[in-house]
C-alpha cells in the first residue's frame, strides 16, 4: 500500500487526501440513514483508515517512479477486449472517479436500462443510499492498492432493489493516465438476519386515509381496478405492496410499477388482463402499467372534483396523498400565493415578472414514526434557490432524475443532512403546477428505488395531474375572492351594530349558505327608531346575486324611511310594496313596531308572506304570532297580515327567515318549526344572544354544516327596570 502512494506526485497526493475526506463524510451520512448497512459501512471505514495510514507514511517522500508492470496491464486490456461485451455476467468499466465508461449488455439488463444510459454516470448512483458510501470507499481502495475486493450492494433495479455481490478489480489500459476498475456483479441473497429495506418487496407503504367521497385505493397486481368496485372510506393504515415486473425498455428506465396486495399478488398476476389497442397481445406487464396510470389519473379527477365547493387545501393534500400511495414514497407540493407570477407571454407578462415565492404546503411520506417526524420538519423547509423544485418553478420545465447522485438536490435539512439522504430518495421527478396563465408551484416526488426509478411515463402522468391541480387551485382562489367580495357587499346591506333600546336587549345572527357562498344573499334585518318608538324588520329577497342585493337595499332603506311618518308596521310595508312593484323580484318580510313602557313592551306586527314571529315567555311557554299577507312587490292592492302581542319582563320576540325552517339533514328532512320551538323553549332563560346561538348550533348540527339557504335571526327581550 505504501508503494502505491509512492507513485503519486504531490498534487495527486493532495487530491487523494481531499477525496478521502469526502468519502469519510459520505460514510458518516450512510451511518445516519433510516436503515443503514452498518457492516458494509464499517468495512469501508477500515479501508479508509488503511489508506489514510499509507498516505501519512508517504508524505514528504520523493515520488515519480513510472508505473511498472506494463506487460501485465496490456495483458489485462486484451482480456477485457475479448471478454467484456459477451461475458455471461454483468460488467462495468469505471474510470478513476468511479464514472461508468462502459457497461456490457448483461449489466444494462440487470439495471433495466440501456448501456448508453449508464455511461457517464456515477456507478454509485445505481446503488441504494445505504451502500453508496461503502462502494465509493472500496472503489478508491482498489484503485490505490490494486487488491481485488468483494462488496455486497443493492442495485436500484428497474422494478425493485436487487441484492448483488460485486467484485472490484483494477486494470491499466494503454493511453489512460490513471488506473480503471472492472466491476463484475453476481446475484446474492440478503444477509442473514437482515431486515427488509424500507419500501422494498414485502415492506409496507402508507395507504391514504379514507375521506368523504374518496375512493379507496385498490390493491393492484396487474394495475387494474376491479369492475364495479365501490368507493368506501377506510382508516389510514399500512398496506403491503409488491412490484409488477415488466419487459425491459431499450431506451432507459422502464415504466413504473403497478402494485398489489401481498396476499393477492400471485392470484391476480395469473388473471387475464384486458387488451389495450396498439399493445401486442400477451404483453400483460405493459397493459398493467397503462391501466394503473389511467386509474391513478381517474382517481385524481374524482378526488379533486368531489368537493361541491373547491377547496385548495383539501385538493393539495388529496393529490399528495394519492401520489405518495400510488407512484412514490414521498410527495411534496410547493405553491405561491394567490398573486403568483404569470407565465412569460401570458397577458403581457415577461420573465422578469416571475418572482419566486414558493412556500411548502405539504410533505407526505410513509406513516412510520420516523417518517412522520421527518414530514413535520420537511413541511417547514422552504424550496430555496438551486433546489430542483425551485428550478422547475422558474423554468416551467418538468424534470426527472431516474438516478440521483447529488443528495442535496432537494435541499439540506436544518441538521445539515441532505433531504435525499434523510428520506432515502434515489429517484426524483418534479413538475410545474400551471393553469395556462400562471405557474402556481411544483409537485415533487421521490422514490427509494425499491420499485424502480421514475421514467418519462411517470413524468407524463404527474404533469397531467399538475395541470388538474392547477385548475382546481385557480377555481378555488377565484371562488374565494368572489366570496370575499360577496361578504363585503353583504355586510353593507346589514347594520354594523344594533342600537341600544332602553328597557330591552337585542341580538341578531346571519349565516351564509354553504352553496352559492360566492354570491350576495337576499336576507336582511334592521333595527331603527320610529315615530312612536322602535321598529324591527327582517326580510328575505327571492334569489341571490347583485340584482337581489339591489332589491335588498331598496327594501331595507325604504322601510327605515317610511317608519318616520307611517304609524304602523302594516302601513310601512305598504310603502315598501309600492317601491318594489317595478322590480323583478319579490320580498317576504315581517316587521314589529315597539312601544316601550315600564316593565312591558307593546308590539304590533305586520307580515308579508313571511314565517310568523315567535314569542318566548320567561317561563318557557311559546306563542307563534299570526302569519298572513302576500309578499312585497307582487300586487298593487297589498294587504299585510296583522297581529299584536304584549311582552313582559323576560319575554323574548324572535324574528327569523325561512332558511332556519328549511335546513335539511342527509335524509332530506327539514329542521322545521317544531325543532325551532323546542330549541327556543330550552333556552328561554338565556339572553337573546345566547338564545340565537343555541338555535345556530342546533341547526348546523342537524344539517352537518351544510346550509342550503341563508339564515337570519333577530331577537328582542324585555329587561327588568334598571336601578339607575
Amino acid at each position: 500500500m505504501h508503494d502505491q502512494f509512492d507513485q503519486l506526485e504531490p498534487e495527486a497526493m493532495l487530491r487523494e487526501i481531499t477525496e478521502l475526506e469526502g468519502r469519510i463524510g459520505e460514510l458518516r451520512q450512510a451511518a445516519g440513514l433510516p436503515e443503514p448497512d452498518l457492516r458494509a459501512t464499517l468495512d469501508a471505514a477500515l479501508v479508509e483508515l488503511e489508506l489514510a495510514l499509507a498516505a501519512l507514511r508517504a508524505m514528504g517522500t520523493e515520488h515519480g517512479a513510472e508505473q511498472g508492470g506494463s506487460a501485465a496491464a496490456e495483458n489485462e486490456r486484451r482480456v477485457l477486449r475479448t471478454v467484456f461485451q459477451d461475458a455471461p455476467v454483468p460488467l462495468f468499466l469505471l474510470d478513476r472517479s468511479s464514472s461508468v465508461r462502459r457497461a456490457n449488455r448483461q449489466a444494462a439488463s440487470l439495471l433495466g436500462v440501456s448501456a448508453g444510459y449508464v455511461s457517464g454516470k456515477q456507478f454509485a448512483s445505481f446503488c441504494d443510499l445505504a451502500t453508496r458510501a461503502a462502494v465509493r470507499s472500496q472503489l478508491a481502495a482498489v484503485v490505490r492498492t490494486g487488491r481485488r475486493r468483494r462488496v455486497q450492494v443493492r442495485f436500484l433495479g428497474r422494478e425493485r432493489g436487487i441484492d448483488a455481490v460485486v467484485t472490484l478489480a483494477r486494470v491499466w489500459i494503454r493511453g489512460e493516465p490513471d488506473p480503471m476498475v472492472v466491476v463484475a456483479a453476481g446475484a446474492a441473497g440478503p444477509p442473514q438476519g437482515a431486515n427488509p429495506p424500507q419500501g422494498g418487496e414485502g415492506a409496507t407503504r402508507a395507504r391514504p386515509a379514507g375521506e368523504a367521497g374518496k375512493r379507496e385505493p385498490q390493491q393492484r397486481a396487474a394495475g387494474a381496478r376491479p369492475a364495479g368496485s365501490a368507493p368506501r372510506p377506510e382508516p389510514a393504515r399500512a398496506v403491503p405492496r409488491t412490484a409488477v415486473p415488466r419487459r425491459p425498455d431499450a431506451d432507459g428506465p422502464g415504466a413504473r410499477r403497478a402494485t398489489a396486495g401481498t396476499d393477492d399478488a400471485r392470484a391476480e398476476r395469473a388473471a387475464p388482463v384486458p387488451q389495450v389497442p396498439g399493445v401486442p397481445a400477451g404483453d400483460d406487464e405493459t397493459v398493467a402499467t397503462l391501466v394503473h396510470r389511467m386509474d391513478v389519473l381517474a382517481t385524481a379527477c374524482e378526488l379533486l372534483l368531489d368537493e361541491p365547493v373547491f377547496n385548495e387545501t383539501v385538493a393539495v393534500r388529496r393529490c399528495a396523498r394519492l401520489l405518495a400511495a400510488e407512484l412514490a414514497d414521498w410527495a411534496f407540493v410547493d405553491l405561491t400565493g394567490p398573486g403568483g407570477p404569470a407565465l412569460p407571454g401570458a397577458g403581457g407578462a415577461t420573465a422578469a415578472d416571475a418572482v419566486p415565492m414558493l412556500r411548502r404546503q405539504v410533505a407526505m411520506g410513509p406513516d412510520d414514526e420516523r417518517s412522520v417526524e421527518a414530514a413535520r420538519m420537511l413541511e417547514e423547509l422552504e424550496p430555496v434557490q438551486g433546489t430542483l423544485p425551485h428550478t422547475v418553478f422558474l423554468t416551467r420545465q418538468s424534470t426527472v432524475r431516474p438516478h440521483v447522485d447529488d443528495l442535496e438536490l432537494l435541499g439540506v435539512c436544518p441538521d445539515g443532512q441532505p433531504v435525499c439522504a434523510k428520506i432515502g430518495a434515489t429517484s426524483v421527478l418534479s413538475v410545474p403546477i400551471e393553469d395556462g396563465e400562471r405557474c402556481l408551484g411544483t409537485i415533487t416526488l421521490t422514490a427509494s428505488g425499491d420499485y424502480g426509478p421514475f421514467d418519462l411515463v411517470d413524468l407524463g402522468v404527474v404533469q397531467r395531474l399538475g395541470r388538474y391541480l392547477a385548475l382546481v387551485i385557480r377555481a378555488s382562489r377565484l371562488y374565494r375572492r368572489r366570496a370575499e367580495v360577496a361578504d363585503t357587499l353583504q355586510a353593507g346591506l346589514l347594520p354594523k351594530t344594533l342600537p341600544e333600546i332602553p328597557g330591552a336587549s337585542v341580538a341578531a345572527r346571519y349565516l351564509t349558505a354553504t352553496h352559492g357562498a360566492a354570491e350576495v344573499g337576499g336576507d336582511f334585518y334592521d333595527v331603527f327608531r320610529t315615530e312612536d318608538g322602535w321598529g324591527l324588520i327582517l326580510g328575505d329577497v327571492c334569489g341571490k346575486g347583485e340584482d337581489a342585493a339591489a332589491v335588498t337595499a331598496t327594501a331595507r332603506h325604504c322601510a327605515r324611511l317610511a317608519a318616520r311618518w307611517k304609524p304602523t308596521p302594516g302601513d310601512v310595508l305598504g310603502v315598501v310594496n309600492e317601491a318594489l312593484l317595478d322590480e323583478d323580484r319579490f320580498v317576504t318580510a315581517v316587521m314589529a313596531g315597539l312601544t316601550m313602557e315600564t316593565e312591558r313592551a307593546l308590539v304590533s306586527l305586520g307580515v308579508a308572506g313571511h314565517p310568523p314571529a315567535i314569542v318566548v315567555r320567561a317561563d318557557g311557554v311559546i306563542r307563534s304570532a299570526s302569519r298572513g299577507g302576500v309578499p312585497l312587490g307582487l300586487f298593487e292592492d297589498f294587504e299585510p297580515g296583522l297581529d299584536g302581542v304584549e311582552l313582559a319582563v323576560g319575554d323574548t320576540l324572535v324574528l327569523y327567515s325561512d332558511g332556519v325552517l328549511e335546513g335539511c339533514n342527509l335524509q332530506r328532512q327539514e329542521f322545521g318549526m317544531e325543532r325551532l320551538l323546542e330549541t327556543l323553549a330550552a333556552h328561554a332563560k338565556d339572553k337573546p344572544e345566547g338564545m340565537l346561538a343555541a338555535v345556530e348550533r342546533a341547526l348546523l348540527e342537524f344539517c352537518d354544516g351544510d346550509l342550503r339557504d341563508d339564515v337570519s335571526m333577530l331577537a328582542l327581550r324585555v329587561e327588568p327596570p334598571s336601578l339607575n
Side-chain angles (χ1 to χ4, degrees), residues 44-249:
L46 294 175
V47 170
E48 297 293 5
L49 285 175
E50 294 175 0
L51 293 177
L53 179 61
L56 289 173
R57 289 174 177 171
M59 291 291 289
T61 61
E62 295 295 330
H63 307 290
E66 287 293 325
Q67 171 63 33
S70 58
E74 178 64 20
N75 193 29
E76 283 194 276
R77 183 179 64 82
R78 287 197 301 269
V79 171
L80 281 175
R81 177 181 298 171
T82 305
V83 174
F84 190 84
Q85 284 300 334
D86 296 326
V89 296
L91 294 176
F92 302 84
L93 180 63
L94 314 183
D95 61 20
R96 188 182 178 284
S97 65
S98 301
S99 294
V100 179
R101 284 288 188 90
R102 187 170 297 178
N104 69 355
R105 287 185 292 270
Q106 294 290 340
S109 177
L110 173 71
L111 300 177
V113 297
S114 66
Y117 174 80
V118 180
S119 298
K121 294 181 173 58
Q122 284 287 312
F123 176 75
S125 298
F126 299 97
C127 305
D128 72 346
L129 292 181
T131 56
R132 281 190 188 184
V135 166
R136 286 195 173 103
S137 294
Q138 297 289 7
L139 285 170
V142 170
V143 170
R144 294 272 58 86
T145 67
R147 298 176 183 172
R148 298 175 183 256
R149 293 184 179 272
R150 289 171 60 85
V151 183
Q152 184 160 337
V153 302
R154 185 174 176 82
F155 284 115
L156 301 176
R158 180 194 215 179
E159 303 296 342
R160 60 179 65 83
I162 302 171
D163 293 311
V165 173
V166 296
T167 300
L168 314 177
R170 189 186 69 182
V171 296
W172 292 89
I173 298 179
R174 181 173 297 179
E176 294 289 340
D178 295 312
M180 306 187 80
V181 176
V182 172
V183 180
Q192 293 294 327
N195 294 325
Q198 182 179 5
E201 188 164 8
T204 61
R205 179 170 296 173
R207 171 178 290 184
E211 300 179 80
K214 180 182 186 305
R215 179 173 64 205
E216 174 192 5
Q218 304 294 321
Q219 295 181 345
R220 302 174 180 88
R225 179 166 56 91
S229 59
R232 55 192 177 101
E234 180 181 270
R237 60 187 176 88
V239 176
R241 299 163 63 89
T242 62
V244 175
R246 286 182 305 273
R247 181 188 59 185
D249 186 343

Side-chain angles (χ1 to χ4, degrees), residues 308-436:
V309 177
F310 292 118
N311 185 302
E312 178 177 331
T313 302
V314 172
V316 167
R317 296 197 68 83
R318 286 183 173 184
C319 179
R321 185 178 294 113
L322 174 68
L323 291 172
E326 295 297 329
L327 290 180
D329 295 317
W330 284 82
F332 303 90
V333 180
D334 305 310
L335 297 177
T336 63
L343 295 174
T350 63
D353 297 322
V355 180
M357 297 179 63
L358 279 181
R359 295 290 181 269
R360 179 139 298 159
Q361 304 299 308
V362 60
M364 194 166 293
D367 61 355
D368 60 274
E369 183 177 354
R370 185 186 183 107
S371 297
V372 170
E373 180 180 352
R376 285 196 294 266
M377 183 270 294
L378 293 174
E379 284 188 343
E380 302 298 325
L381 188 66
E382 308 294 357
V384 298
Q385 186 173 1
T387 61
L388 182 62
H390 192 276
T391 302
V392 169
F393 172 70
L394 288 180
T395 62
R396 279 77 172 175
Q397 296 296 321
S398 300
T399 302
V400 59
R401 303 286 177 85
H403 297 89
V404 174
D405 185 54
D406 179 10
L407 297 183
E408 297 185 2
L409 188 67
L410 300 181
V412 179
C413 300
D415 60 4
Q417 187 176 18
V419 172
C420 289
K422 186 82 171 180
I423 62 177
T426 58
S427 187
V428 176
L429 69 79
S430 185
V431 303
I433 301 174
E434 294 182 354
D435 64 0

